[in-house]
Amino acid sequence: QSHYVACMAAILSQMDKDHYSSYIKAFPSRPELMDFLMETFILFKDLIGKMVYPSDWMVMNMVQNREFLRAINQFAATLTEMFLSNSSFELQLWNNYFHLAVAFLTQDSLQLENFSQAKRNSILAKYGDMRAMIGAAIRDMWYNLGHRKIEFIPGMVGPILEMTLVPELELRKSTIPIFFDMMLCEYQLTESFSRFEDEILHKLDSEVEGGRGDEQYKQLFESILLSCCQRHPELAKPGENFIALVTGLLERLLDYRAVMNDENKTYSMSCTVNLLNFYKEIDRQAMYIRYLYKLKDLHISYENYTEGAYTLLLHARLLKWSDEVNTATMQGLHSPSLHTQRQLKEALYNQIIDYFDQGKMWEEAIHICKELAEQYESEVFDYEMLSDILQREAKFYEKILKVLRPSPDYFAVGYYGQGFPTFLRNKVFIYRGKEYERREDFEMRLLSPFPNAEKLKSTSPPGQDITSSPGQYIQCFTVQPVEEAKVRFKDRSIPEQITNFYKANHVQKFSYSRPFKKGPKDPDNEFATMWIERTTFVTAYPLPGILRWFAVTSTTTTIISPLENAIETMMKTNEKIMSEINRHQNDPSLPINPLSMLLNGIVDPAVMGGFAKYETAFFQESYLQEHPEDEGNIEKLKDLIAWQTPLLAEGIRIHGRKVTEDLRPFHERMEQCFVQLRAKVESQYGVREMVCFEDRRSGRPRSVAWGPDWDRLSHAGDRQVLCTETPPTAKPAPHTSESEDRRNERKENRSSTFFGYRRQDLCQSISELPEPKDKKRRLSCNMSESSLGSSERKQPLPSQDTAGAQPSTAGLSLSPTGFGGRVKSASKALPLPRKISPTVYETFLEQSDTAT
C-alpha cells in the first residue's frame, strides 16, 4: 500500500492547476464527476486514517500531506463552482469534504507540538503549518454555504469542535467564530440554538476526556464568542448564558482530566461529582447518569461501599414504580432485559442493599427493604419476594444490635495556595475516615498526590501570605461530628448500638475546639483560665454521602468561657459513665477494664483530682462577686456534680458484681473513696437518686436514660418501682432453644431507668424495704457494694404494711440542668449509708442465682 500511495503522491505532484481543471472537465456528465469526487474524498480520508508510513518517516509523510492538501483545495474549488447552487447542491458531497478536511487537519503527523523543537523548525521551514492552511479553507467553505448552513447543524458541530481544539493559536482564532455563525443561523430560524448547544456539550465531554482542550482554549472560546454576541443584541443574553455554560463545563472537564490518571483516585472522585452535579443542574440526564456510574465504579474499586450505594441511589430515585418502558438515557449501562422502570429500579435497589450491607449501613438498607416490601405486598403481590426481603430486613436489625461498628473519625482539610487545582484551591473540606484509620495514615494518603505540599502545623486559618502564594499548603486536624437532636429519641431509653449510629452519621456540622489561656495565669488551677475557641463547620451535604468528603460552606467561631467549658466537660463525663452503664447492662460479657479506669479516674482524687478544681475556681464567693451573670451556670455545674453521684453508684455496683478476685482490693479502695465523695457531694449539693420504671415494650434490656421523662413519671401508675434488680420467679417451663431463652430473659428483666429526686418518704436502703415471704427482695441501685458487705450489724426490716408504698412525682421541681424532682436538704448533715449483714446479702444472691 505504501508503494501505491507513493506512486499516487508522485502523480499528484506533477499536476498543476491547469491539469486539475482539464481533468475535471473531461468527465462526460455531472453525476460521474460527483461519483469521482465522492470516491476520492473517501479514499483520501481512508489513507490519512491508516498512517501508511511509519511516524518517523517525516519526509514521506509530509510529502504525502502536501500533495493531498493541494488536491483537496482544488476539489474544494470544484465544489463551490459546480455543486453549490440551489439546483445542483449535493449535501452528502459537501459533508464528505468537511469530514475529510477535518481528518486531514487533526492527523497525528501534523501536530507539531508533539515534535522536538528542531524537528518542528525543520517542518515549518520546508512545508509550513498545513493545519492553518486547511483550517482557513474549511472556514471559507463554511461561509460559502450561505443559507445551506442549517442543514449541517448539528452534524458538523463535532468535527468543527475537534478542529478548534487543535492547540494552534492562529487556527483557533480563525475557526472558533464558526460556532457563533452556527448559533446565529439556528437562532434566526427557530429563535433558539438548542440543537447546537446540546451537540457541543455532548461532544465537548468526549473530546476533553480524550485529551484535547486546555486553559488557553477556554479563554479564547469565552472572549471570541462574547465579542461576537455583543455585536448582535438579540443574541447578547442567551449567548452569554451559553458561553458561561460551556466555560463552566470546560473548567470541570479539565480538572477531571488532570486527576483521572493519578494513582490516588480521591480527587478524580471529587471532579466526577462536580461534573455530575453540573449535568444535573443543566438537565442533561444521559450525561448525569454516565458520570454516576463512573463515580460508582471508582467507589467500589476502593471498597467505599456506602458511598457506592448512595451514588446508585441517585439513579434509582429517577425511576418510578411503574411499567413504563425505559428510555435509552435512563437505561444507563444495565441490561436491555430490564426494559421497564420497575424492573430496573428493583435491580438497583437490590444492588444498593448489598452495598449498604457491606458498608455496615444497615439502617439505610432497612429503609430500602421497607420500600421494596411495600411494592411486593401492595402493588405486585409477590409474597415470595416479600418473604425474602423481610428476612433480609430482620437480619439487618439483628446486625445493628450484635455487630461491632466503630465510629469513623472526621478530619478537616484545607488546601491553601495557588498551586492547587481550582476545585481545591483555598477551600476546606471535611473528610470521613475509614474504619480504625489513624490521623497519621490519613495524612499520608492525603499528601501522596502532592509530594511538594507543605503541611501547616497551626490549626488557625492561614493569612493572605499563604493563600496567595504560588506554593501548596495543606492543613489537617480532627473534628468532632455535631449530632442533630433526634425528636423520636428524646426522653427515651434507647440501646447504645442504635444511638451511636446517629452520632457519627447523617451529620452536616462538625466542631473543632482550640483551648487558650486568657487573663492572669493560675499555676495551681488551669481550669480557671482555660477558654475554648470553638469553630463549627457546615458542609454542603451530610456525611456519609456520594463522597467521603464534602466542601465546607460556612464556618462560625464562638468563645466558650472556663465555666461553660467546665459544664460541658462535666456533662460529657456523666454521659460517658451512663454509656458504660448501658453497655454493661446490655452485654454482661463485656470486659471490665474500661469501666474500672473510668470510675477510678473520677472517684479517686489521687488520679484525676475529681471536680475539686472546679470548686476552687468557680464556687468561691469572690468569683460570684466578679461574675454575677454566671450564677445560673454555677448552679447548673453544681447540679451536674450532684447528678454524677447516682451514676457513679450504679457504675460501682456493676463493677463490684463483675470484678475478679485479683481486682477486689482495687474495687474496695474505689468504694472507700466513693463513700467519702458521696457524703461530701450530698451534703453540699443535695441528693439525686434513681427511680426505675418497667418498660412496657418488649425486645430490649434495661438501660439508663439521661434526663427524666416527667410526663411518663406522672402517668406511670402502679408500674413505678424502685431501681432494683429483681430476679424472676422460678417456674417450670418447657425446653426452649438458647436464643429463645435469651429473649425470655430480656423480656423478664426489661426496664428503663430515669434519674429523678426520690421523695423523702422512700426508703434509702435494702434494710428499709419490705420483706415479703414469698416474693423477691429488691436491691436499691443507689447502694454501693461497700455498703452491702462491709458490716456485720443486722438491720431490722420494716413490716409488711409498707410493701405497697409507691413513689410519686408530686412536688417534683426542675433543676438548672433540666432535671425535675425534690431536692433533699444539703444544709443538714446526712446520715451515713445504712449497712446490712452479709447473711442478708448472701440470701439475696442465692435467690437471684436460683431464679436465673
Side-chain angles (χ1 to χ4, degrees), residues 544-565:
I546 61 172
L547 283 177
R548 293 193 75 92
W549 60 91
F550 287 119
V552 172
T553 55
S554 67
T555 304
T556 56
T557 301
T558 55
I559 302 299
I560 310 297
S561 70
L563 178 56
E564 292 169 332
N565 183 34

Short mmCIF file of all heavy atoms in Angstrom, two decimals, residues 544-565:
data_model
loop_
_atom_site.label_atom_id
_atom_site.label_comp_id
_atom_site.label_asym_id
_atom_site.label_seq_id
_atom_site.Cartn_x
_atom_site.Cartn_y
_atom_site.Cartn_z
N PRO A 544 -22.32 10.31 55.84
CA PRO A 544 -21.76 9.95 54.54
C PRO A 544 -22.72 10.29 53.40
O PRO A 544 -23.90 10.52 53.61
CB PRO A 544 -21.58 8.43 54.66
CG PRO A 544 -22.65 8.01 55.60
CD PRO A 544 -22.78 9.13 56.61
N GLY A 545 -22.16 10.29 52.18
CA GLY A 545 -22.95 10.62 51.01
C GLY A 545 -22.30 10.01 49.79
O GLY A 545 -21.67 8.94 49.87
N ILE A 546 -22.40 10.66 48.65
CA ILE A 546 -21.82 10.11 47.43
C ILE A 546 -20.32 10.33 47.38
O ILE A 546 -19.65 9.86 46.44
CB ILE A 546 -22.49 10.71 46.17
CG1 ILE A 546 -22.29 12.23 46.11
CG2 ILE A 546 -23.96 10.37 46.13
CD1 ILE A 546 -22.77 12.84 44.80
N LEU A 547 -19.76 11.04 48.37
CA LEU A 547 -18.31 11.18 48.53
C LEU A 547 -17.96 10.92 49.98
O LEU A 547 -18.81 11.00 50.87
CB LEU A 547 -17.84 12.58 48.13
CG LEU A 547 -17.72 12.90 46.64
CD1 LEU A 547 -17.32 14.36 46.45
CD2 LEU A 547 -16.70 11.99 45.95
N ARG A 548 -16.68 10.67 50.23
CA ARG A 548 -16.21 10.53 51.62
C ARG A 548 -15.85 11.90 52.19
O ARG A 548 -15.34 11.99 53.31
CB ARG A 548 -14.99 9.61 51.70
CG ARG A 548 -15.31 8.16 51.36
CD ARG A 548 -14.18 7.24 51.77
NE ARG A 548 -14.15 7.06 53.21
CZ ARG A 548 -14.77 6.07 53.86
NH1 ARG A 548 -15.48 5.19 53.19
NH2 ARG A 548 -14.69 5.98 55.17
N TRP A 549 -16.07 12.95 51.44
CA TRP A 549 -15.76 14.30 51.90
C TRP A 549 -16.65 15.29 51.17
O TRP A 549 -17.11 15.03 50.06
CB TRP A 549 -14.29 14.64 51.61
CG TRP A 549 -13.98 14.56 50.15
CD1 TRP A 549 -14.04 15.56 49.23
CD2 TRP A 549 -13.60 13.38 49.42
NE1 TRP A 549 -13.72 15.08 47.98
CE2 TRP A 549 -13.45 13.75 48.07
CE3 TRP A 549 -13.38 12.05 49.79
CZ2 TRP A 549 -13.08 12.83 47.10
CZ3 TRP A 549 -13.02 11.15 48.81
CH2 TRP A 549 -12.87 11.55 47.48
N PHE A 550 -16.89 16.42 51.81
CA PHE A 550 -17.64 17.49 51.16
C PHE A 550 -17.03 18.83 51.56
O PHE A 550 -16.42 18.95 52.64
CB PHE A 550 -19.12 17.45 51.54
CG PHE A 550 -19.88 16.34 50.90
CD1 PHE A 550 -20.50 15.36 51.68
CD2 PHE A 550 -20.00 16.24 49.52
CE1 PHE A 550 -21.20 14.33 51.10
CE2 PHE A 550 -20.70 15.20 48.94
CZ PHE A 550 -21.29 14.24 49.72
N ALA A 551 -17.22 19.81 50.70
CA ALA A 551 -16.67 21.14 50.96
C ALA A 551 -17.42 21.82 52.10
O ALA A 551 -18.62 21.61 52.28
CB ALA A 551 -16.74 21.99 49.70
N VAL A 552 -16.69 22.63 52.84
CA VAL A 552 -17.29 23.43 53.91
C VAL A 552 -17.93 24.66 53.29
O VAL A 552 -17.28 25.39 52.54
CB VAL A 552 -16.22 23.83 54.96
CG1 VAL A 552 -16.79 24.82 55.95
CG2 VAL A 552 -15.70 22.59 55.67
N THR A 553 -19.20 24.88 53.60
CA THR A 553 -19.91 26.02 53.02
C THR A 553 -19.98 27.21 53.97
O THR A 553 -20.16 28.34 53.52
CB THR A 553 -21.34 25.62 52.61
OG1 THR A 553 -22.01 25.07 53.76
CG2 THR A 553 -21.29 24.57 51.51
N SER A 554 -19.89 26.97 55.27
CA SER A 554 -19.91 28.08 56.23
C SER A 554 -19.13 27.69 57.48
O SER A 554 -19.06 26.52 57.84
CB SER A 554 -21.35 28.47 56.59
OG SER A 554 -21.98 27.42 57.32
N THR A 555 -18.58 28.70 58.12
CA THR A 555 -17.77 28.49 59.32
C THR A 555 -18.14 29.56 60.34
O THR A 555 -18.23 30.74 60.00
CB THR A 555 -16.27 28.59 59.00
OG1 THR A 555 -15.95 27.66 57.97
CG2 THR A 555 -15.43 28.28 60.23
N THR A 556 -18.37 29.14 61.58
CA THR A 556 -18.65 30.09 62.66
C THR A 556 -17.73 29.78 63.84
O THR A 556 -17.36 28.62 64.06
CB THR A 556 -20.12 30.00 63.13
OG1 THR A 556 -20.41 28.65 63.51
CG2 THR A 556 -21.07 30.42 62.03
N THR A 557 -17.37 30.82 64.57
CA THR A 557 -16.48 30.67 65.72
C THR A 557 -17.12 31.28 66.95
O THR A 557 -17.64 32.40 66.89
CB THR A 557 -15.11 31.35 65.45
OG1 THR A 557 -14.53 30.76 64.27
CG2 THR A 557 -14.17 31.15 66.62
N THR A 558 -17.12 30.52 68.04
CA THR A 558 -17.65 31.01 69.33
C THR A 558 -16.60 30.81 70.40
O THR A 558 -15.74 29.93 70.29
CB THR A 558 -18.94 30.27 69.72
OG1 THR A 558 -18.68 28.85 69.73
CG2 THR A 558 -20.06 30.56 68.74
N ILE A 559 -16.68 31.62 71.44
CA ILE A 559 -15.75 31.54 72.57
C ILE A 559 -16.50 30.94 73.77
O ILE A 559 -17.56 31.43 74.15
CB ILE A 559 -15.17 32.92 72.91
CG1 ILE A 559 -14.46 33.52 71.69
CG2 ILE A 559 -14.22 32.82 74.09
CD1 ILE A 559 -13.29 32.71 71.19
N ILE A 560 -15.94 29.90 74.33
CA ILE A 560 -16.52 29.22 75.48
C ILE A 560 -15.73 29.62 76.72
O ILE A 560 -14.50 29.45 76.77
CB ILE A 560 -16.48 27.68 75.31
CG1 ILE A 560 -17.06 27.28 73.94
CG2 ILE A 560 -17.19 26.98 76.45
CD1 ILE A 560 -18.49 27.63 73.76
N SER A 561 -16.42 30.15 77.74
CA SER A 561 -15.76 30.59 78.97
C SER A 561 -15.30 29.38 79.78
O SER A 561 -15.79 28.26 79.58
CB SER A 561 -16.72 31.45 79.79
OG SER A 561 -17.75 30.65 80.33
N PRO A 562 -14.39 29.59 80.75
CA PRO A 562 -13.95 28.47 81.59
C PRO A 562 -15.10 27.77 82.30
O PRO A 562 -15.11 26.54 82.42
CB PRO A 562 -12.99 29.13 82.57
CG PRO A 562 -12.45 30.31 81.84
CD PRO A 562 -13.60 30.81 81.02
N LEU A 563 -16.09 28.55 82.79
CA LEU A 563 -17.21 27.94 83.48
C LEU A 563 -18.06 27.11 82.51
O LEU A 563 -18.48 25.98 82.83
CB LEU A 563 -18.07 29.01 84.15
CG LEU A 563 -19.32 28.53 84.90
CD1 LEU A 563 -18.96 27.50 85.96
CD2 LEU A 563 -20.06 29.72 85.51
N GLU A 564 -18.34 27.64 81.34
CA GLU A 564 -19.09 26.88 80.34
C GLU A 564 -18.34 25.64 79.91
O GLU A 564 -18.93 24.57 79.68
CB GLU A 564 -19.39 27.77 79.13
CG GLU A 564 -20.36 28.91 79.41
CD GLU A 564 -20.42 29.90 78.27
OE1 GLU A 564 -19.43 30.05 77.55
OE2 GLU A 564 -21.47 30.55 78.11
N ASN A 565 -17.02 25.76 79.83
CA ASN A 565 -16.19 24.61 79.49
C ASN A 565 -16.29 23.54 80.57
O ASN A 565 -16.36 22.34 80.29
CB ASN A 565 -14.74 25.06 79.32
CG ASN A 565 -13.82 23.92 78.90
OD1 ASN A 565 -14.23 23.01 78.18
ND2 ASN A 565 -12.59 23.95 79.37
#
